[in-house]
C-alpha cells in the first residue's frame, strides 16, 4: 500500500495484521524507518517473530516441521544477536546451514520457507507486515522481494504486506526488476465524500449524537476527505459542540481550532525539521500549491542550477518531507503543506 502521509496506511496495516492474528496465522510486524535508532532489519524480524513463534509453540504440540522452522529461526536470530537474547524461550538447537549464512537474501528466504512449511502443518500461513517499507535499504528490499519470490514459486504461504510513501513501488522495482509482477499494488488516497461523512457521523451515532447535514458537508469539503484532517477537525468539533446535535456553527469552530492545531503540530514540526536552504526549496515548490513541481523549474525559481540544488532536494527526500513521484518531478508528502508554507512570513 502506498500513499501520502496520514491517509490511513498504518491503520489499514494494523487492521489486516489483526485479522491474520485472529485467524491464528504466524504474524510479525516491523516498522522500518530512517532514524538512527532503528535496529538492523534482521534483528527487527527476529524480534517480532520470536513473540509470534512462542505463541504458536505455547499452544500446540511441536510438530516436526515447526521444530525445523524454530531451529532455522534460532540460527537466523543468533546471526544478529549472538547472545541469544532474541531466541529466548525457543528451546531448540539451531539448524546449521539454514538461515545463518549471513546473506540476508538467503537467510530470510530459508526462514520464510521453513516457517511457511510449519504453518501449513498447523493449517495457517505466515505474514510479515512492514510499515514505512520505502525506508529499508536497497539490499533489505531485495531480500524481501527474493523471499516472497521463492515462496510464491513454491506455493509457500508466506506473505509480506507493506505500507509506505508513494515512492515505494519505485524503490521495490529498483531493488528487484521483477518486483512489479511480484506484489499487488494498492494506492491509498483520500476517502470518497461518502466515506468521509461516515467517518464523522458513524462514531458519533454510536454515542447517540447526530450531525446536521451542513456541518458534515463543511468538514468533508474543508478536509478534502483527507483522513488525518478529518480526525483533527472532527475531534475539535466534537469537543466544542454543546449538543444535543452538531451544527454548522460547531463545525466552523472545529475547523478553526483544528486548523490551528494542525499548523502548530503537523505542519510546524515538518517546517522546523527543514534547514534554511531546504525551506527556500520548499517555498519555491509551494508556488505550484499541492503540486507536483518540476525540479528544473524549482531550481530556476531559486536562480540556481539544477545540479547545485541537488543536495538540498536529496536532503528533503531523506527527511521524508518531499518525494519524487516520477523522474524530474518533486512533490510534498502531505497535502496542505504548500498552503501552510504560503502562509508563513518570509525570511
Ligand atoms: N479507517 C479509519 N478510521 C478512522 N480513522 C482513520 C482511518 N484511517 C485513518 N484514520 C485517521 O487518520 C490518521 C492517520 O492514519 P495513519 O497513521 O494510518 O496514516 P498513514 O498513512 O500511516 O500516515 P504516515 O504516512 O504518516 O504513517 C489516523 O491517526 C486516524 O486519525
Ligand atoms: Mg503510517
Amino acid at each position: 500500500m502506498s500513499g501520502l502521509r496520514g491517509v490511513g496506511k498504518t491503520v489499514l496495516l494494523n487492521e489486516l495484521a489483526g485479522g491474520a492474528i485472529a485467524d491464528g496465522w504466524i504474524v510479525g510486524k516491523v516498522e522500518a524507518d530512517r532514524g538512527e535508532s532503528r535496529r538492523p532489519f534482521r534483528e527487527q524480524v527476529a524480534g517480532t517473530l520470536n513473540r509470534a513463534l512462542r505463541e504458536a509453540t505455547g499452544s500446540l504440540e511441536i510438530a516436526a516441521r515447526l521444530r525445523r522452522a524454530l531451529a532455522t529461526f534460532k540460527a537466523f536470530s543468533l546471526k544478529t544477536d549472538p547472545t541469544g537474547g532474541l531466541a529466548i524461550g525457543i528451546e531448540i538447537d539451531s539448524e546449521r546451514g539454514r538461515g545463518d549464512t549471513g546473506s540476508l537474501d538467503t537467510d530470510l528466504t530459508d526462514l520464510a520457507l521453513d516457517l511457511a512449511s510449519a504453518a501449513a502443518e498447523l493449517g495457517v500461513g505466515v505474514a510479515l507486515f512492514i510499515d514505512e517499507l520505502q525506508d529499508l535499504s536497497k539490499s533489505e528490499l531485495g531480500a524481501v522481494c527474493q523471499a516472497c519470490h521463492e515462496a510464491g514459486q513454491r506455493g509457500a504461504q508466506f506473505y509480506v504486506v507493506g505500507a509506505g510513501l508513494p515512492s515505494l513501488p519505485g524503490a521495490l522495482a529498483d531493488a528487484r526488476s521483477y518486483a512489479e509482477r511480484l506484489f499487488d499494488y494498492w494506492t491509498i488516497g483520500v476517502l470518497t465524500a461518502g466515506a468521509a461523512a461516515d467517518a464523522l457521523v458513524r462514531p458519533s451515532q454510536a454515542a447517540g449524537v447526530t450531525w446536521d447535514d451542513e456541518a458534515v458537508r463543511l468538514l468533508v469539503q474543508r478536509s478534502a476527505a483527507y483522513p488525518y484532517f478529518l480526525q483533527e477537525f472532527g475531534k475539535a468539533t466534537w469537543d466544542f459542540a454543546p449538543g444535543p446535535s452538531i451544527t454548522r456553527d460547531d463545525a466552523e469552530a472545529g475547523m478553526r481550532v483544528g486548523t490551528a492545531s494542525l499548523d502548530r503540530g503537523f505542519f510546524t514540526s515538518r517546517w522546523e525539521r527543514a534547514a534554511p536552504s531546504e525551506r527556500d526549496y520548499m517555498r519555491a515548490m509551494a508556488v505550484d500549491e499541492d503540486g507536483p513541481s518540476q525540479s528544473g523549474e524549482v531550481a530556476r525559481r531559486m536562480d540556481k542550477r539544477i545540479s547545485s540544488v541537488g543536495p538540498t532536494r536529496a536532503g528533503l527526500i531523506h527527511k521524508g518531507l518531499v518525494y519524487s513521484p516520477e523522474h524530474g518531478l518533486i512533490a510534498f508528502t502531505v497535502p496542505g503543506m504548500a498552503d501552510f508554507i504560503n502562509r508563513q512570513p518570509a525570511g
Side-chain angles (χ1 to χ4, degrees):
M1 299 182 280
S2 60
L4 296 179
R5 293 267 167 234
V7 290
K9 301 181 297 295
T10 300
V11 168
L12 278 168
L13 205 65
N14 289 339
E15 189 74 19
L16 293 172
I21 289 169
D23 284 347
W25 280 40
I26 296 173
V27 175
K29 183 165 182 248
V30 303
E31 180 169 342
D33 74 74
R34 287 211 182 147
E36 306 271 295
S37 59
R38 175 161 77 85
R39 293 174 295 146
F41 181 57
R42 181 192 285 263
E43 195 179 317
Q44 289 186 301
V45 171
T48 183
L49 288 176
N50 176 289
R51 200 163 351 105
L53 285 171
R54 280 158 69 185
E55 276 162 25
T57 53
S59 57
L60 293 148
E61 227 180 285
I62 301 191
R65 287 199 232 167
L66 182 56
R67 183 173 292 278
R68 182 176 166 83
L70 288 173
T72 302
F73 170 76
K74 191 158 183 175
F76 181 89
S77 68
L78 283 172
K79 198 77 196 170
T80 179
D81 178 17
T83 67
L86 289 164
I88 286 176
I90 310 272
E91 305 305 336
I92 216 148
D93 283 337
S94 54
E95 175 101 344
R96 278 184 202 288
R98 296 285 293 169
D100 65 351
T101 67
S103 143
L104 188 61
D105 289 11
T106 309
D107 294 353
L108 190 63
T109 301
D110 284 350
L111 181 63
L113 294 176
D114 287 0
L115 283 175
S117 153
E121 209 167 32
L122 306 173
V124 294
V126 181
L128 180 60
F129 291 83
I130 311 178
D131 206 358
E132 305 291 352
L133 184 55
Q134 80 284 340
D135 282 345
L136 288 187
S137 69
K138 186 168 170 174
S139 65
E140 290 166 338
L141 282 174
V144 167
C145 291
Q146 185 160 330
C148 290
H149 183 59
E150 300 243 350
Q153 290 201 325
R154 296 174 198 217
Q157 303 289 314
F158 171 80
Y159 299 93
V160 168
V161 184
L165 290 176
S167 54
L168 175 58
L172 285 166
D174 217 31
R176 286 287 188 282
S177 55
Y178 58 71
E180 269 169 27
R181 287 163 283 130
L182 184 60
F183 299 108
D184 279 333
Y185 290 87
W186 298 77
T187 305
I188 311 298
V190 295
L191 300 174
T192 60
D198 281 348
L200 295 170
V201 172
R202 288 214 201 155
S204 310
Q205 236 164 22
V209 174
T210 57
W211 286 68
D212 293 354
D213 286 347
E214 266 187 284
V216 175
R217 217 173 300 127
L218 180 76
L219 291 199
V220 169
Q221 190 218 335
R222 301 291 279 280
S223 66
Y226 178 61
Y228 183 59
F229 293 170
L230 275 170
Q231 170 76 42
E232 286 282 352
F233 296 164
K235 172 184 184 296
T237 303
W238 176 270
D239 287 347
F240 178 84
S245 68
I246 295 176
T247 65
R248 188 186 160 98
D249 283 350
D250 300 334
E252 294 270 9
M255 274 279 319
R256 275 196 302 278
V257 176
T259 304
S261 151
L262 285 172
D263 277 6
R264 267 196 318 276
F266 190 68
F267 291 124
T268 299
S269 66
R270 287 164 188 280
W271 189 233
E272 287 180 348
R273 227 183 299 156
S277 62
E278 293 171 345
R279 288 188 195 174
D280 290 344
Y281 192 94
M282 288 199 287
R283 269 190 202 281
M285 284 173 65
V287 173
D288 299 312
E289 310 206 318
D290 273 339
S293 304
Q294 299 203 325
S295 303
E297 177 63 17
V298 173
R300 200 190 56 72
R301 284 177 196 151
M302 297 171 76
D303 270 330
K304 298 232 160 97
R305 271 179 311 147
I306 194 160
S307 58
S308 73
V309 294
T312 309
R313 183 179 184 274
L316 283 167
I317 291 176
H318 187 74
K319 288 180 181 173
L321 298 175
V322 307
Y323 73 102
S324 175
E326 55 184 271
H327 188 72
L329 294 182
I330 193 83
F332 293 109
T333 53
V334 296
M337 189 71 200
D339 183 55
F340 170 81
I341 290 170
N342 290 331
R343 281 184 278 124
Q344 299 311 298

